[in-house]
Structure formats: structure tokens, C-alpha cells
Amino acid sequence: MKAQAKTSVLSHVVNSFDTSVLKGWYTSLGEMVHGTRRYYMTMGFFWLIIYASTLVALDAISVGYHEAYGVTREIPWGILISTYIFFVVTSTGLCIISSIGHIFGVKSLLPIGKRAVFLSIVTICSGFVVILLEIENPFKMMLYNMLTPNLTSNIWWMGTLYGAYMFFMILEFSFLLLNWHRIAVIAGLIALFSGIAAHSNLGAIFGMLHGREFWYGPYMPIYFIVSAMMSGCAAIIFFTWTAYRINGKTYDEPMQNAMVTLSKLTVLLISIVLFFTVWKILTGLVGAGGKVLTIQSFLFGSYAVNFWVFEVMIGMVIPLLMMLYSRGRKYGIMAFASAMMIVGIFVMRFDLVVLGQVVSVFHELGVNEYKGILSYTPSFHEWAIVIGALSVTALTFLLGEKIFKGHVADEH
Amino acid sequence: MFSNFDLDKLAKETLDSVAPMERRAFLKMGLLITGVYAGGKVLQVSPAEAFGGHARKSYKPHYGMVIRQHLCIDCERCVAACTRTNDVPSYGYRTRILEHREERAAGQKSEFIPVLCNQCNNPPCVRACPTSATYKDKDNGIIRVEPKRCIGCKTCMLACPYNARYIKGKVVDKCDFCYESRLSKGEKLTACAEACPAGVRVFGDVSDPSSKPYSYIYQLENPVWVLRPESGAEPNVFYTKG
């Protein structure tokens, strides 16, 4: 009985295997050879950046992170952690936004599916590159995560669930390439659940630090999911537009509809994040002590430019207006708005990580050592790794566009 | 003992309007104050925090330290002894003396607050550690680190309400009440407690009624407090000015 079931599954797999897939791969190689000069120049440019930042990263490893990075005892998490969060936020967001179409069946978002799945794998990998260079002993993590797990630790859950997330995203993408849609949806659904669980755990790393009042509470896990969706929208609009420019394609009708839906979704999500931001500030201001000091530091103090210019204006308000103005039809404007959002969101992540640490845990004691706001400036090494990781995303995206031929959508 | 304390004669009053002496008398009826204030700032009145906490999670011995804050003169011999004993890197510290200066204060303008790992009963760093590299020793309650398991994610540094964690090499190290360097070798005191010329640091088994720290913590004459009680970490380092 069992053997019979096995053979029928096998025969199903064999029968459903589309030989055109193999042919497709072969022609992909052909496309790679016949890229334009501009394409190769751009690829070369990103290769150079990655090469240079790899050298800097190796230098950081050899001199020790303590020397190479700008983080301190009081501010142990800096731009590398915030960049990691930026990447995984984008990845989770892309996964959620794409799932609306190809998992939950909202037709208008189907055309962005494949590219979004591919990009979410690319961004999570870029995030892992950064975290690999942030954690002191990343390889031990894999070993001791299994040998001596601490199930009360959010980091444990996040690491494990993101591992599962990446595995199932890759599986989903592979199935999509093979045109095995039903099983792709199952893999996608598992990836979605583990992604959301992992991502809310990432928020909970901050939200469950009861010694840090700026972060502590249920706000962080919830906010992380909403802002992930906002980031996902920005990323898919930006990369779709760029891909269409590279491939010299025109937007067919399904894609035009997808862009309209995306622009509306972006407007909605920016509004929600603005709403969250307003209430985070207002509730924080009625307290006393460290939290108020933190909020003042980004409303009027040394982080005011980051907050008002980058987070609020470049990250949310101006893109919101541009999206409304574009009506989902003016793709150049939408792409520019989403690029602004990506920049703003990058700063948002930086502020989120750093601002939770700028007020010392001993501030309330009123001691001379910790009266004011602590400062952190990313070092050259840290910047180089950040730029390197961004280039990894750019390069893999460009490669993907050629190899997977513009991620053409299939009928579901 | 309570001759001037007659419940029947007292009018209804809120806590704010209770005179200090009356409040003291009330507390003497069976509440112990901990976490009343830190550095002169009122933080929390926590009834029987110490008694309750220790009764719930008791170790034998249950190591703890009392800091008699008013005696500290910031000579930093404790810091030097600690660094020497525990091979602390030049950029790090396991214990430190903070200064609280108040120009408007009448009389004495400065006070010194020694800080170190509080060896908490509900340790945030232990909860946060993904690989159980930081753990609470089952025998004596000391929060210790197993270096080979530490992945250096630094979450414990953020989780700690007392800024007690630091990077040493590729591992996030911490004070272990000199367990590795002294206690496990039969010594009775931590290096800092032994080095202090003013008797600020009183170290010992806080669950033993005959120990010195016990006599400073479980008494009703002088207020005893802990730093940052609101974090819920239930520290085992107590502060007093008695």
C-alpha cells in the first residue's frame, strides 16, 4: 500500500516536471552572455565594492571587533544590528506582501510574487552577512543553538525561526521555478508563518528587555510586523521599477494593476506606521526619567535631524504624498518615493536600535557619569560592511533579473 | 514599643500625609523596606522584597553583598583588586564607583555608589541568552558564564539593568563574585570586599542568620534598598547607609 503511494507520488512528480524549465535554464545562461555593456559595468561596480568591503571585514576580524567597531559597553548594538534588522524587516515585508497574492489569492498582486520571493531570499541573506560579522562567534551559534538551547530567549527563537524561514523561502522559490504551484503555496505558507513568528521575536528581543524602558512592552513586536509590511511595499515597488528599466520591458495590464494596488497599500501602511509613531511619542512623553529624555533627544536633541528629516519627511510624509499623487500610474514617481522610503526606513532602524541605548541604565541614579545622552558613531569598518551588504543585495538582484529572466509571472 | 501608636486615635490618612515616625512604626509592624531610594531618589517601596525573594529561591550558600554606601570614599582599591584577581581587560571593569554630586545639597555634596553585577534572582541576562552560556549556578545563585557556549551576540549586555556585562576577547564576561578566582578555592570573600579599607562591601551568605550581610539586610532600623527595583530582577546586592 505504502509502496504504491510512494510510486504514485514519484510518478506525479515525474509527470508534472516541465522540461521547458531545463530549457529555460539553458537560455538563462545565454542571456547572461548577452547582457548590455551598462549591465556589466554596474555588476562590476558592485563586485568591486563587495571585494573592498570584504577586505575591510577581514581586517575587522583580524584586529578584533572591539577595536574595529564603534560600539561600546553602554551602546553594544550599533549600525550592524540596525542594518541586519533593516534587511530582515524588508525580507519579512516582501514575504508578507507577496503572500497576499500568491498564497491568499488576491489576483492583482500576483505579478509581483516571484520577484518578491526572490528578493526576500536575497535580503535575508544580506542580513545574515551583516549579522555574521556582528556576532563574535557566529559559527558557535549553530552548534550551541542545538546543544544548549534557551527556550526563554527571543534570540534563540528568532535565529531558529529565521533559519526555517530562509529554508522554506528557498524551497518555495524553487517550486515556483519548477511550476509546482500547489506545493509552492504550502512552502510559502510555512515560510510566512515562520517569518512572522521570527520577526515578532526580533521585535520581542527589544520589547522583552525589562531593564530598557524605551523598548519594553508589547509595542515592539507589533510595530515590527507593520513596519515590515511598509518596507516590503517600498522594496517591491523600487525593485520592480528598476527591473523594468533594466529589462526594457513595458508594464502589461496585470502589472499595471499590481502597481496601483501596491501604491494604495503603501499609503495605508505609511499611515499606520505614522499613527504608531505618534502614539509611541505621546505615551512616552507623559512619563518621567529616561524615556522622556530619549524621546526629547529625537524630537529636539541630537537625533532630531534623523527623526524629522529622515524618518518622518523622507521616510514617510513625502513618499505618502508622492504615492497619492502618482495614483499608482506614474511609475517613476512611485520608484523615487519608494527609494526615499528605503533610505528613511534605514535611518528608522538605526534610531530604533541606538535610541534605546542612549540613556544609561544608571540614569535614574543621577550620577555624574550618566547624566546626559550617550553617543555612538559608526566606525569606518562598520560603514564598509553596511555598504558591502547593500551591494550584495544589488548584485544578487541584478543577477537574478538575468538568470530568472525578469521573474515572469505564471498563471496560477 | 508601640506606646505612641494607637490605631483608634488616628484619623483616616493617605500614605502621603502619614508623618515619617508613624510610617516608620507602621513599617516596623512587619514590613521590610527595600528599594526605597537609590542615590537619594525615591524609587519604590517594596514590602519584604528581600525576605520574600530569598525564601522563594534559596541557595546554600546564597551569596550576596551589602554596600554600606555612606562609607565609600572612592579610593578604588576594590576596582584595582578586582582587575588584578579576575584578569579584567584594561578597557573593562567588573565593579566601578559612580559619583553622585549634588551642589545644592546641604553639607556633604558628594556620595559614591559602588556598582557591580547584582547576581539577580530573576536575571534578565540569563533569560536573554540564546545558548544558555550565561546561567545561574544551582548551588550558590551566582550568575556565571560558560565561555565556550557564548556566541557574543551581546543581548545580555542590553538586558542587564546594571551595565554589568563587558566583552573580553570574544566572550561577554561578568563579575562572578570571584567564584572562579577565589570562592571555589576556599576563600571566603570576594577580592573587592577584602580590599576595601572602609568596610563598604559586606559579602557572605545572605541566607545564614549568623552572617554579616544578613544582619545588615534583615533589620528594621535602617533602610535597605536595591538599585533599579522596577526592573524586577530581584538583585542580591543591597545598599544601606546604616
Side-chain angles (χ1 to χ4, degrees), chain B residues 151-235:
Chain B
I151 61 167
C153 68
K154 297 181 280 190
T155 316
C156 51
M157 296 174 79
L158 285 166
C160 177
Y162 304 104
N163 189 21
R165 313 282 315 233
Y166 62 95
I167 287 272
K168 179 187 177 186
K170 287 179 145 323
V171 170
V172 190
D173 209 354
K174 68 182 290 300
C175 158
D176 64 347
F177 269 165
C178 289
Y179 185 81
E180 293 277 339
S181 54
R182 294 172 60 93
L183 300 187
S184 63
K185 292 172 183 155
E187 298 273 356
K188 295 282 174 236
L189 289 179
T190 61
C192 59
E194 192 182 69
C196 181
V200 175
R201 296 173 186 244
V202 186
F203 177 78
D205 179 359
V206 294
S207 67
D208 174 10
S210 64
S211 79
K212 262 173 103 180
Y214 186 98
S215 64
Y216 282 107
I217 300 167
Y218 304 118
Q219 45 74 35
L220 301 172
E221 283 79 21
N222 295 304
V224 178
W225 67 93
V226 293
L227 300 185
R228 306 208 53 205
E230 81 287 357
S231 74
E234 297 178 20

Side-chain angles (χ1 to χ4, degrees), chain B residues 74-209:
Chain B
D74 194 25
C75 69
E76 304 213 342
R77 286 192 202 180
C78 50
V79 179
C82 171
T83 307
R84 216 169 35 239
T85 311
N86 297 302
D87 190 23
V88 180
S90 57
Y91 54 82
Y93 55 85
R94 288 187 174 195
T95 184
R96 187 183 180 189
I97 314 289
L98 301 174
E99 184 184 3
H100 175 216
R101 189 157 178 86
E102 200 52 78
E103 294 298 342
R104 293 161 298 177
Q108 181 188 330
K109 307 264 187 248
S110 263
E111 62 173 351
F112 301 104
I113 309 174
V115 289
L116 70 161
C117 169
N118 281 237
Q119 316 288 352
C120 311
N121 285 340
N122 180 23
C125 61
V126 171
R127 186 204 62 82
C129 179
T131 54
S132 313
T134 302
Y135 63 98
K136 192 160 176 71
D137 194 304
K138 285 191 176 68
D139 298 323
N140 50 39
I142 293 175
I143 312 293
R144 298 177 59 200
V145 179
E146 173 56 74
K148 73 166 194 256
R149 287 189 216 148
C150 176
I151 61 167
C153 68
K154 297 181 280 190
T155 316
C156 51
M157 296 174 79
L158 285 166
C160 177
Y162 304 104
N163 189 21
R165 313 282 315 233
Y166 62 95
I167 287 272
K168 179 187 177 186
K170 287 179 145 323
V171 170
V172 190
D173 209 354
K174 68 182 290 300
C175 158
D176 64 347
F177 269 165
C178 289
Y179 185 81
E180 293 277 339
S181 54
R182 294 172 60 93
L183 300 187
S184 63
K185 292 172 183 155
E187 298 273 356
K188 295 282 174 236
L189 289 179
T190 61
C192 59
E194 192 182 69
C196 181
V200 175
R201 296 173 186 244
V202 186
F203 177 78
D205 179 359
V206 294
S207 67
D208 174 10

